[in-house]
Amino acid sequence: MNRIAEPGHTKRFFYDFIRLAGPYWTERRCWRPRLLGLTLALLVVAQVTLVIRLNIWTADLFDALERRSTDRAMDQIGIFVLILLGTMATNTAHLMVRRWLQFDWRRWLTARVIGDWMKDARHYQADRIPGDHANPDGRIAEDIRIATESAVDLVSTLFYCMLLLVAFVGILWSLSGWVRVAGVDVPGHLVVLAFAYAGAGAVVAFMLGRPLVRATDVRQTREAEFRFSLVRSHESGEPIAVARGEPLERERLRTAYETIAESWRDQSLGLARLLTFSSGYIVLASVLPILVGVPRFLENTLSLGRLVQSGQAFQQVTAALSWPVDNLAVIAGWRASVERVLLLEGAVRTAAAEAARKGEVSIELDRAPASQLRVQNLWVTAADGTATLSDLSLTVEPGERVLVDGDHEAASALFRVLAGIWPWGRGRVELPADDALMAIGPWPFLPQGSLRQALAFPDATDCHDDAMLRDTLSGVGLAYLASRLDEAADWTQILTPAEVQRLSFARIILSRPRWIVLGNATDTLDSASADTMLRLVVDRLPEACLLLIGQHPGSRDIFHRQLMLERASGGEIILHELHARRQAAKLPRSRPLSVIDRLRKGYGD
């Protein structure tokens, strides 16, 4: 259960959002957002001005009709055409500028988040940090869109309603005149009535919306469960087909879908109740001030035009006052999306800060042109600070071939450190410069695109000519792919795991690094193929250092020496501060703007 957010937490929420997304507006030489924002504000002012002018035009038109003045009525028709054209042009311009601003802000924020996330292995490290920041793809693609688009919409509509309120409260006050209540003359009675009417409408809307919110939440949960069931069935297609389990799985999917029906019915009833009220609320808002003003009209103290004008002004005031109610769901959705983006960004920042640790409680990683690969007093921990590999020292000379075998977890931990992607531990590691060292794990990444791109990754495709690519493919036993260099496909799905590992050795031959670190890079190959791949590297790159960490199914004769690793046991905590931080992260988290949740639930039970 989330705790109610304290005021300081709410302030922190806005501060973090401004820190993340605010530089779009404040960066030097960033004239585009300021120009778009100013233009949007001016267009909102123009919209409100046209609404005010239309309200005045209504009074003038009905006054002309009341006097049966043809000339004045015809003049009002001409004025209305101008107001209509101005409204059409202003609303269209407002739409285009608003959408340009929304997309430009989204583009900037997406680039910033991706830039921080996809940098120095932070995307990998952030996944190892506990917290609610899973599914970064959805947070970047969808939540950033909602965070930026809804923010512009909310600010724009709030500014519009504030201007509308200020303008029409004055108009409604002047149209109200004076009324006698219990022998006392009272001014501005229509303004008081508008505030009371809007307040009563908000209370009723909250009461009617309470079961609707619950039904909507239940329906969204059921819909998500149904989608998950479909995804699971798709991913498990082969075992379902082999077991002939389609009838049972079909029935399970049908049952999962039927669970949506009850929440759909409850949501429909809630929408019907709310629509019934809102329909009457809107219609009554247009008639109520006219009914209240009829006595003054019949007493000839209020003209027909001013009577109709007061009705329109009353509607505008109540509409402006209804902004919080009308936008409650939008605010809640915006808050949730911003929070999801901030949680991802926070995990990335935590990963960056922990990778940048210095001193005795950090892995001191030194990358420089070196004549050795050296590890001194290295302790590697899990992301929570508990040891997995203890007090390792290792030196590898140029041209040397070393097999580091033993415990799987310990070997994987060492490989991640030498690959430069694991910051948790302590000790000193001296590595060659990035351009001299190549690290390849058991599942090398194959980008979607042509086979040429998959072979060259992470280098550019024009680094190698076709003859070299074909010769390398032939050397690693993939000659049949030589004719498919320019074929675009998801090669991870096309190639078998063994073929993917062969392709990784082709990359090594093409890149010609002087230092090669392999992590379980031959574990899917048979022993003969594994030996063939390693001997190919030795023949093609005789001066390269080869360090294989993990399982190797082939012969050990190719290596100059072998080292056995043992996993640190007992769960010893090495990084106490980090461990305490991980434990604190498991505590219930305060939810910013929790008042939004309370309001959406009708103030709760």
Side-chain angles (χ1 to χ4, degrees):
M1 182 70 67
N2 288 327
R3 301 189 300 267
I4 299 300
E6 300 83 2
H9 187 54
T10 299
K11 292 179 181 178
R12 182 73 188 182
F13 170 76
F14 284 109
Y15 170 80
D16 286 341
F17 177 65
I18 293 172
R19 174 187 51 76
L20 176 64
Y24 170 75
W25 303 90
T26 58
E27 285 181 340
R28 294 183 62 185
R29 294 176 293 180
C30 193
W31 59 268
R32 180 182 175 86
R34 298 171 192 171
L35 178 61
L36 289 174
L38 177 61
T39 304
L40 189 64
L42 292 176
L43 288 171
V44 170
V45 172
Q47 286 178 319
V48 174
T49 302
L50 287 167
V51 172
I52 296 172
R53 186 64 188 87
L54 182 61
N55 181 255
I56 297 172
W57 171 86
T58 301
D60 294 339
L61 175 65
F62 278 90
D63 284 343
L65 294 177
E66 185 181 22
R67 296 169 185 171
R68 290 177 172 78
S69 173
T70 304
D71 292 339
R72 290 186 178 181
M74 295 303 297
D75 290 341
Q76 296 307 314
I77 292 175
I79 294 174
F80 175 75
V81 171
L82 295 177
I83 295 174
L84 177 64
L85 294 176
T87 301
M88 293 168 61
T90 303
N91 289 347
T92 302
H94 181 275
L95 171 69
M96 296 303 298
V97 172
R98 188 184 77 243
R99 288 181 62 84
W100 285 337
L101 181 60
Q102 289 171 326
F103 187 79
D104 197 59
W105 194 8
R106 178 189 176 190
R107 176 197 288 131
W108 179 90
L109 185 56
T110 300
R112 174 171 182 171
V113 172
I114 290 178
D116 292 339
W117 177 61
M118 194 61 65
K119 178 181 179 181
D120 296 334
R122 293 175 190 170
H123 56 96
Y124 168 78
Q125 296 161 4
D127 282 344
R128 272 68 194 167
I129 296 175
D132 183 14
H133 50 263
N135 303 319
D137 52 332
R139 296 169 191 261
I140 294 173
E142 184 66 11
D143 288 314
I144 287 180
R145 180 188 67 80
I146 295 174
T148 52
E149 289 185 2
S150 295
V152 173
D153 284 338
L154 288 169
V155 171
S156 177
T157 55
L158 178 60
F159 183 49
Y160 176 85
C161 287
M162 290 175 61
L163 292 180
L164 209 62
L165 185 62
V166 171
F168 278 95
V169 161
I171 293 174
L172 196 59
W173 184 277
S174 65
L175 293 172
S176 298
W178 294 77
V179 295
R180 182 171 292 275
V181 179
V184 179
D185 290 334
V186 178
H189 66 285
L190 289 179
V191 174
V192 176
L193 180 62
F195 276 82
Y197 186 80
V203 171
V204 176
F206 282 137
M207 294 174 62
L208 294 176
R210 179 174 183 174
L212 176 60
V213 169
R214 289 179 175 175
T216 301
D217 290 342
V218 171
R219 183 195 164 193
Q220 290 175 341
T221 301
R222 298 289 184 267
E223 296 276 8
E225 291 173 350
F226 179 62
R227 288 194 299 270
F228 176 77
S229 297
L230 291 173
V231 172
R232 187 173 182 275
S233 297
H234 174 70
E235 292 177 345
S236 305
E238 182 177 343
I240 291 173
V242 169
R244 296 293 187 266
E246 289 91 344
L248 185 60
E249 190 66 11
R250 186 167 58 246
E251 180 62 22
R252 189 184 67 82
L253 291 174
R254 188 193 67 80
T255 302
Y257 182 78
E258 287 301 322
T259 61
I260 302 173
E262 183 178 355
S263 60
W264 178 276
R265 183 200 62 198
D266 293 341
Q267 186 185 37
S268 299
L269 292 175
L271 286 171
R273 286 191 294 265
L274 195 59
L275 180 61
T276 301
F277 167 73
S278 62
S279 300
Y281 177 85
I282 294 172
V283 172
L284 183 58
S286 63
V287 176
L288 182 60
I290 295 178
L291 296 177
V292 173
V294 164
R296 296 174 59 213
F297 173 73
L298 295 178
E299 292 172 0
N300 207 27
T301 59
L302 184 68
S303 69
L304 178 62
R306 298 300 179 262
L307 178 64
V308 177
Q309 184 185 15
S310 66
Q312 287 189 347
F314 186 90
Q315 284 183 291
Q316 298 294 351
V317 171
T318 55
L321 291 172
S322 299
W323 184 89
V325 178
D326 295 339
N327 290 278
L328 197 58
V330 178
I331 295 172
W334 171 81
R335 186 279 312 272
S337 290
V338 170
E339 187 180 10
R340 284 170 57 82
V341 176
L342 289 176
L343 287 170
L344 173 63
E345 190 259 352
V348 172
R349 290 175 64 212
T350 299
E354 292 181 357
R357 288 175 298 118
K358 300 294 183 182
E360 296 180 356
V361 292
S362 67
I363 296 177
E364 185 179 351
L365 193 63
D366 184 15
R367 285 188 180 274
S371 59
Q372 293 177 326
L373 187 155
R374 179 178 298 173
V375 174
Q376 294 177 305
N377 306 119
L378 177 66
W379 291 71
V380 184
T381 72
D384 64 355
T386 57
T388 57
L389 179 63
S390 59
D391 202 17
L392 174 68
S393 294
L394 170 68
T395 301
V396 182
E397 302 291 342
E400 193 175 11
R401 299 187 292 276
V402 180
L403 174 63
V404 180
D405 204 346
D407 181 80
H408 174 73
E409 292 296 330
S412 297
L414 177 61
F415 170 75
R416 295 187 189 108
V417 171
L418 297 184
I421 65 173
W422 195 263
W424 297 292
R426 71 185 188 198
R428 179 175 177 80
V429 177
E430 298 178 11
L431 294 176
D434 279 337
D435 57 353
L437 183 144
M438 188 172 190
I440 293 182
W443 293 101
F445 174 69
L446 303 184
Q448 283 189 317
S450 67
L451 181 60
R452 187 188 306 274
Q453 291 174 308
L455 275 169
F457 184 85
D459 298 328
T461 55
D462 57 0
C463 292
H464 315 290
D465 57 37
D466 287 4
M468 181 181 297
L469 295 176
R470 293 191 179 96
D471 177 67
T472 305
L473 285 173
S474 177
V476 298
L478 297 176
Y480 78 96
L481 293 175
S483 61
R484 305 173 67 181
L485 285 174
D486 294 312
E487 179 180 334
D490 185 356
W491 292 99
T492 303
Q493 299 297 323
I494 293 176
L495 301 179
T496 66
E499 289 174 327
V500 171
Q501 288 195 338
R502 288 176 179 270
L503 193 67
S504 67
F505 280 92
R507 283 181 179 173
I508 295 173
I509 302 303
L510 292 170
S511 297
R512 305 187 67 80
R514 292 190 297 110
W515 300 81
I516 304 167
V517 178
L518 304 178
N520 287 319
T522 60
D523 60 351
T524 65
L525 300 172
D526 58 77
S527 59
S529 297
D531 287 341
T532 298
M533 293 300 101
L534 294 182
R535 294 192 185 282
L536 179 67
V537 172
V538 173
D539 292 341
R540 298 283 184 99
L541 307 173
E543 297 182 357
C545 166
L546 178 62
L547 177 62
L548 195 156
I549 305 172
Q551 300 296 322
H552 175 61
S555 171
R556 269 61 174 165
D557 295 341
I558 195 172
F559 298 100
H560 296 130
R561 57 192 172 98
Q562 181 178 354
L563 174 68
M564 296 296 294
L565 294 179
E566 293 184 3
R567 184 180 183 182
S569 59
E572 182 181 0
I573 300 174
I574 302 301
L575 306 178
H576 294 277
E577 182 180 350
L578 182 65
H579 185 74
R581 190 182 305 148
R582 294 292 186 265
Q583 296 302 312
K586 298 178 182 178
L587 298 176
R589 179 176 51 85
S590 297
R591 192 169 176 82
L593 303 180
S594 61
V595 68
I596 298 299
D597 295 322
R598 299 178 65 189
L599 290 175
R600 290 184 72 233
K601 293 179 180 178
Y603 299 102
D605 292 322

